[in-house]
Amino acid sequence: MKKVIIGILIGIAICVICAIIYVKCFMFVPDKDGMIYEDSVEFKCMTVRGWQEKISQYHNCDPEDIYCYYESSEFIAIVYDENDEEVAHYRFDDETGYALDTISGDVVDFLEGKAVEVNTTNGTTINFNDNQCLAIGYVLDSNIDEFIHNNFHNNYTYNNLEVLDYRSADSREKEIGNRFVIIPKSEDVKITLYSCFINEQGELELDNTLIKNYTTPFIILDNYLAETTTPELCIKFECNGFEETFPIVFNGMNGKLDLTGVEQEVKDISIY
């Protein structure tokens, strides 16, 4: 019986030791205000300590005053001054590694130690690559705050976008329908919106022109569109001599926006 008890105690002791080692060496440890602050966290193959050093060189401050963590899947770095006041709040782009300071609006390449000019437009924080001409986002009421946080400097910019409401009177009264946000890459991109339908031959046919040659972001409100519903609206965009038209419709397989044929030119910024 004693051997059994001793064995159990030894087993418990081993578990406790292993748990302590795991917490100390592998688990993310909350630091300032519950933020993750540990060298085991990496972004773009660099540890938190490495990013602290890079950011501190740019800001000429103590690396210990910089706190890095992940918010969902987004890498964040916050810089504090000697009075513990937040002076910079950086959100990093997964593709480029650039960091947007949501306080100043500056975009910084910390690997090069300099501010950079990026292809953002009209108060948005979207990074477009060379081939992309516009972004489209399907936005639910439940994730609108996250959508604004991901794509705009602040709520004010989003709330001042022009809203084009094409819902039926019944949908407006019930406050139901779909919301799409359209953001051209620059003023060189011209967007025209059409109503559309499927003709007897099963082909997509444009109907009325609803707006023409828009160059600034706007919001579309439309009747609820199920995944299997035929499209009611089409977007035509012109960019540097390139012209293409695509319907606003969902893919029946995965429920995401169907951008077949314009995958390289249109960036989907929806939250799924």
Side-chain angles (χ1 to χ4, degrees), residues 87-103:
V87 295
H89 189 119
Y90 291 106
R91 293 163 46 201
F92 286 74
D93 180 75
D94 285 335
E95 296 181 11
T96 64
Y98 294 165
L100 168 71
D101 182 3
T102 58
I103 295 177

Side-chain angles (χ1 to χ4, degrees), residues 98 107 116-122 124-132 183-186 267:
Y98 294 165
V107 178
V116 295
E117 293 291 333
V118 296
N119 293 325
T120 60
T121 180
N122 297 299
T124 73
T125 59
I126 300 171
N127 290 324
F128 292 97
N129 65 33
D130 291 339
N131 295 324
Q132 291 171 334
I183 303 172
K185 178 179 181 178
S186 70
K267 183 170 186 173

Side-chain angles (χ1 to χ4, degrees), residues 225-255:
L225 185 68
E227 295 175 8
T228 56
T229 304
T230 55
E232 296 180 353
L233 298 174
C234 274
I235 291 177
K236 183 179 80 171
F237 62 93
E238 302 174 45
C239 178
N240 298 325
F242 180 83
E243 182 178 309
E244 188 59 83
T245 302
F246 68 96
I248 300 178
V249 67
F250 294 107
N251 186 317
M253 299 295 292
N254 57 23

